[in-house]
Amino acid sequence: MKILKKRFLQILAALLIIYLLLLIPDNTGKDSSVKVSQKPFSWNQDSVWRKLESDFTKAKQLPAAQLDSTISSLKRNAANNLAAIQNKQLSVTDSIFHFTENLFFALAPLIAVKTEEIYWYNNYYNDIRNSIKQQSQRWDIQQPAARNRLYRLLYGLRIAVEEVLLQNNDIHFPAGILVKNEASVTPAVQIFGIKVHSGDLLVSRGGAEVSALISRGNDYPGNFSHVALLYVEEKTNKAFIIEAHIEKGVAVATVEQYEKDKKLRFMVMRPRADLPAMIADPMLPQKAAKKMYEQALSRHIPYDFKMNYHDSTALFCSEVASLAYRTNGLQLWPSLSTISSQGVVNWLQDFGVENFITQMPSDLEYDPQLAVVAEWRDPETLFKDHVDNAVMDAMLERANHGEKIGYNAWALPVVRIIKGYCIIKNFFGKTGLIPEGMSATRALKNEYFVAMNKRIKSNTLEMIDSFILRNNYRPPYWQLVQFAGIAANKN
């Protein structure tokens, strides 16, 4: 009995020593200094947002004839404004763009009341978007003035349209919208009811918390968190989606699998047919997609948590598209993405990011070489997308005030054992519970991050429900950010 007791104590002591050893924190050696000096974009227009909401409430009280007359006058201005943009080459500093932005925002609260005009407003948005994209072809997109102008218009006008749509529960707007039928000679298929061609770039937004972080944690906060590349076999017309997943690295999916994967929105982008490289070889997108498809099948390509687009041994989602086109003579992201906020940098470093001058999914929209072909928004979850953005904006504001992502240190030994098992599964080509390339500590920090997000979102939703009950309309985005900020400060 004494021998058994002694052996038991020895085993217990050994397990305790192993547990204590596994408690030793990672030596990340991360550099806490900001990597770039660019200043993040800021709207600084709180008074404008408040006025728009006030205009909306006033518009609901206007006599129908007065509302119609005001909208008709602004529509005439809009038609003249569009013609002016379409008919001449403009510099990025031209005052007409400031007028365009103000006019579009002025229309929004009125159109939100007169629902019959929503379809006109959406079509006007598409016309303006195409015209701005065309103007940007002659701008130096690497200059901050050009980048700011493009962002204000392309992102800002989209948000205005969506605010209008969200104020009208009775309007069943189509999920898919054709923006520009850019010519392509490559094989085509349908995704979400939209005709897409081999080599097209599918830029999307997932519903996970980390998706919101990727789309918002940028000097130009956007709506998209993921990029995939479409490949269509010429002989069989079978379509495949090549994309990098955090969980399993670069993988190939069918169209059916891609559509089943949860998405709040997605956008189709295509190289312009009039680019010199495309004129020289109209099948360039097909070749780029095919080469990446073959690479994805021929070797295991892990996910690149570092977001280093210079190193192709591991790839993150944007890099799949970037590498495919770069090796075929077309460099996407001529203006690289930058992440300059210290708090955002710190949080992303916690998840393994090391490069803060990189290629972010949302910024692909501002590449003048690409045409926006179509956009798809889930009408049922569009408001969820806005709430998720607002919650993440509030969280990142806390990050910039020094809040850190913690983790349950006592769980670290157990999670490290699980990670060891995952490494064995990865060796045999299986997907583990903890993604390849993610440490046990980072897995725990991700768990902490998700829990923080859920708490803030839950409190934000309570304030949203109260607002709707009091005011009988959905709170606009600037109100969502305010609610999320209050919830984050309580967290």
Side-chain angles (χ1 to χ4, degrees):
M1 183 65 71
K2 288 183 178 180
I3 295 174
L4 288 175
K5 185 177 180 181
K6 182 178 180 181
R7 181 62 56 87
F8 173 76
L9 291 173
Q10 287 173 338
I11 293 172
L12 190 62
L15 290 174
L16 180 60
I17 290 170
I18 292 171
Y19 179 81
L20 292 173
L21 288 172
L22 291 174
L23 272 177
I24 298 173
D26 293 341
N27 180 19
T28 60
K30 75 178 185 181
D31 177 11
S32 62
S33 61
V34 174
K35 303 300 188 226
V36 290
S37 59
Q38 180 166 324
K39 187 178 180 181
F41 177 87
S42 178
W43 284 97
N44 292 324
Q45 291 196 171
D46 289 349
S47 61
V48 173
W49 311 143
R50 286 192 293 270
K51 183 179 184 302
L52 289 177
E53 188 174 358
S54 173
D55 289 347
F56 171 65
T57 57
K58 289 176 182 176
K60 290 197 294 183
Q61 308 302 320
L62 285 177
Q66 186 178 349
L67 179 63
D68 289 346
S69 175
T70 305
I71 291 175
S72 294
S73 176
L74 289 175
K75 284 176 68 175
R76 287 192 293 272
N77 289 343
N80 294 334
N81 175 245
L82 177 61
I85 294 175
Q86 290 175 330
N87 293 332
K88 60 181 178 179
Q89 182 175 332
L90 301 167
S91 76
V92 71
T93 58
D94 197 296
S95 60
I96 194 172
F97 296 119
H98 183 66
F99 177 78
T100 301
E101 181 184 314
N102 289 340
L103 176 61
F104 200 84
F105 285 151
L107 275 160
L110 305 177
I111 302 295
V113 174
K114 189 172 177 58
T115 57
E116 303 95 313
E117 297 286 2
I118 287 178
Y119 297 103
W120 169 84
Y121 191 61
N122 196 52
N123 290 333
Y124 174 56
Y125 162 59
N126 275 342
D127 290 339
I128 286 287
R129 169 161 53 177
N130 285 328
S131 299
I132 296 302
K133 286 285 286 182
Q134 187 170 8
Q135 288 287 343
S136 73
Q137 295 171 20
R138 293 177 287 272
W139 297 345
D140 182 357
I141 199 62
Q142 297 189 42
Q143 293 299 314
R147 190 65 188 282
N148 287 344
R149 178 64 69 195
L150 264 180
Y151 178 76
R152 291 185 71 101
L153 291 168
L154 298 184
Y155 173 79
L157 271 55
R158 173 190 287 112
I159 294 302
V161 168
E162 292 179 359
E163 287 293 343
V164 171
L165 294 175
L166 288 171
Q167 293 303 333
N168 292 276
N169 294 325
D170 297 330
I171 296 294
H172 300 290
F173 61 91
I177 304 167
L178 179 65
V179 179
K180 184 185 181 191
N181 189 20
E182 186 69 28
S184 176
V185 298
T186 66
V189 293
Q190 296 272 331
I191 296 181
F192 290 121
I194 296 169
K195 186 178 181 181
V196 290
H197 284 261
S198 193
D200 281 358
L201 303 158
L202 311 180
V203 190
S204 62
R205 167 69 179 272
E209 293 79 8
V210 71
S211 296
L213 174 60
I214 293 169
S215 65
R216 308 304 291 175
N218 186 351
D219 284 351
Y220 294 91
N223 293 117
F224 303 96
S225 60
H226 188 67
V227 181
L229 183 63
L230 175 69
Y231 169 61
V232 184
E233 288 184 336
E234 293 180 66
K235 292 182 180 179
T236 65
N237 214 47
K238 287 186 66 175
F240 301 94
I241 313 293
I242 312 110
E243 52 189 339
H245 295 278
I246 288 174
E247 299 82 3
K248 56 188 175 183
V250 178
V252 175
T254 64
V255 168
E256 292 74 24
Q257 290 169 328
Y258 181 79
E259 289 182 333
K260 286 180 182 178
D261 191 23
K262 184 174 180 60
K263 289 175 181 63
L264 303 181
R265 61 168 78 235
F266 99 117
M267 184 166 62
V268 182
M269 304 199 73
R270 183 177 301 157
R272 289 174 18 226
D274 62 350
L275 294 174
M278 291 292 293
I279 293 172
D281 184 4
M283 290 297 287
L284 187 154
Q286 173 75 351
K287 293 175 181 177
K290 183 177 181 180
K291 189 169 183 179
M292 183 53 65
Y293 171 76
E294 291 171 345
Q295 280 195 51
L297 293 181
S298 64
R299 69 182 177 99
H300 171 61
I301 308 174
Y303 188 83
D304 181 10
F305 284 93
K306 297 179 180 179
M307 294 181 68
N308 181 2
Y309 70 95
H310 295 293
D311 183 0
S312 59
T313 55
L315 302 176
F316 61 101
C317 67
S318 299
E319 204 175 354
V320 170
S322 174
L323 178 64
Y325 272 98
R326 185 171 71 245
T327 53
N328 282 272
L330 185 59
Q331 176 65 63
L332 303 180
W333 281 273
S335 179
L336 292 170
S337 307
T338 55
I339 304 168
S340 305
S341 298
Q342 182 67 68
V344 179
V345 168
N346 291 343
W347 278 20
L348 289 174
Q349 283 180 325
D350 282 336
F351 292 115
V353 177
E354 295 181 4
N355 296 272
F356 301 98
I357 300 177
T358 186
Q359 298 169 331
M360 298 290 277
S362 282
D363 289 343
L364 195 62
E365 183 176 8
Y366 314 118
D367 187 339
Q369 301 169 110
L370 300 174
V372 177
V373 175
E375 191 164 355
W376 180 93
R377 296 168 292 208
D378 187 342
E380 300 300 321
T381 58
L382 184 58
F383 189 62
K384 177 186 183 305
D385 171 90
H386 282 222
V387 173
D388 287 351
N389 283 353
V391 168
M392 188 53 59
D393 284 353
M395 290 176 67
L396 294 178
E397 182 68 22
R398 296 300 305 160
N400 288 328
H401 282 89
E403 185 164 333
K404 300 184 183 302
I405 300 177
Y407 67 95
N408 182 358
W410 298 110
L412 186 56
V414 176
V415 177
R416 279 177 165 162
I417 292 170
I418 295 172
K419 176 60 182 177
Y421 175 67
C422 292
I423 290 172
I424 295 171
K425 290 189 71 175
N426 296 154
F427 181 79
F428 289 102
K430 304 293 183 181
T431 302
L433 182 63
I434 299 174
E436 180 185 14
M438 178 182 283
S439 69
T441 300
R442 286 172 178 153
L444 284 169
K445 287 193 172 189
N446 181 67
E447 185 179 73
Y448 181 97
F449 170 81
V450 170
M452 184 198 312
N453 182 280
K454 289 183 182 298
R455 287 194 302 272
I456 295 172
K457 185 175 179 180
S458 176
N459 291 332
T460 301
L461 289 173
E462 288 180 8
M463 285 182 272
I464 290 170
D465 290 341
S466 297
F467 181 95
I468 294 173
L469 197 62
R470 289 194 312 271
N471 299 282
N472 201 31
Y473 65 89
R474 280 174 168 158
Y477 189 74
W478 45 94
Q479 287 280 7
L480 297 181
V481 172
Q482 182 178 342
F483 294 155
I486 294 169
N489 289 331
K490 290 179 179 178
N491 182 57

